Amino acid sequence: MFKPSRRQLLFTAIGAMSVLAARDFFLLYCRGVARNVPDFFASLDTETLDAAKAVGSRVARLHPGFGAEPTLVRLLESRPLLLAAHEESCVDTRQAMIQQQCCEDFADGRTVVVDGWVVSETEAQLCASIA
């Protein structure tokens, strides 16, 4: 029968704590990594509006209920940054708030796959509501 010494137990505990600390470090680091978040939600011109409508129609086809009023109400209630962005008059600030919300969606695993693209639920809902 194996009987570990104090030294072995100590090194095992240190090793386990190091692995957990490294894992937590990388999870925190990944939250700060810049994502390729579309900018077309902040100020929609004709080109970006057409792109948002095209994505929105695909989202609505693949995920029924997205973009519907009850779903949008729940989305706004659960994501205060979107509500604040809606009331923001500065385009740059509004864009930063929406991008932050999309990054939080990715960090929390709230994503949707649309035609092979992984988009945040916020992006999908906004596009579906435009379509």
Side-chain angles (χ1 to χ4, degrees):
M1 183 157 100
F2 176 71
K3 185 174 181 184
S5 67
R6 279 190 230 148
R7 179 178 287 173
Q8 289 171 328
L9 287 175
L10 180 64
F11 283 124
T12 302
I14 290 172
M17 289 174 38
S18 298
V19 168
L20 292 175
R23 177 188 163 272
D24 288 343
F25 169 77
F26 284 116
L27 287 175
L28 286 174
Y29 173 76
C30 286
R31 285 182 179 243
V33 173
R35 304 276 193 240
N36 185 12
V37 179
D39 295 337
F40 57 74
F41 296 121
S43 58
L44 294 172
D45 57 12
T46 51
E47 283 183 35
T48 54
L49 184 60
D50 292 341
K53 284 181 181 179
V55 171
S57 64
R58 289 186 199 122
V59 168
R61 189 171 1 113
L62 295 172
H63 303 280
F66 270 49
E69 187 174 336
T71 310
L72 288 172
V73 168
R74 275 185 269 128
L75 178 77
L76 288 174
E77 288 174 350
S78 65
R79 292 173 176 87
L81 273 175
L82 285 181
L83 201 54
H86 176 69
E87 297 169 358
E88 180 61 46
S89 60
C90 175
V91 174
D92 292 336
T93 305
R94 183 172 55 233
Q95 179 180 355
M97 294 169 94
I98 294 173
Q99 285 179 338
Q100 177 62 35
Q101 183 60 63
C102 292
C103 288
E104 287 178 15
D105 282 359
F106 275 103
D108 293 339
R110 293 185 307 246
T111 58
V112 176
V113 177
V114 180
D115 291 344
W117 290 83
V118 179
V119 297
S120 74
E121 283 184 3
T122 299
E123 293 170 307
Q125 291 283 5
L126 291 174
C127 285
S129 68
I130 291 170

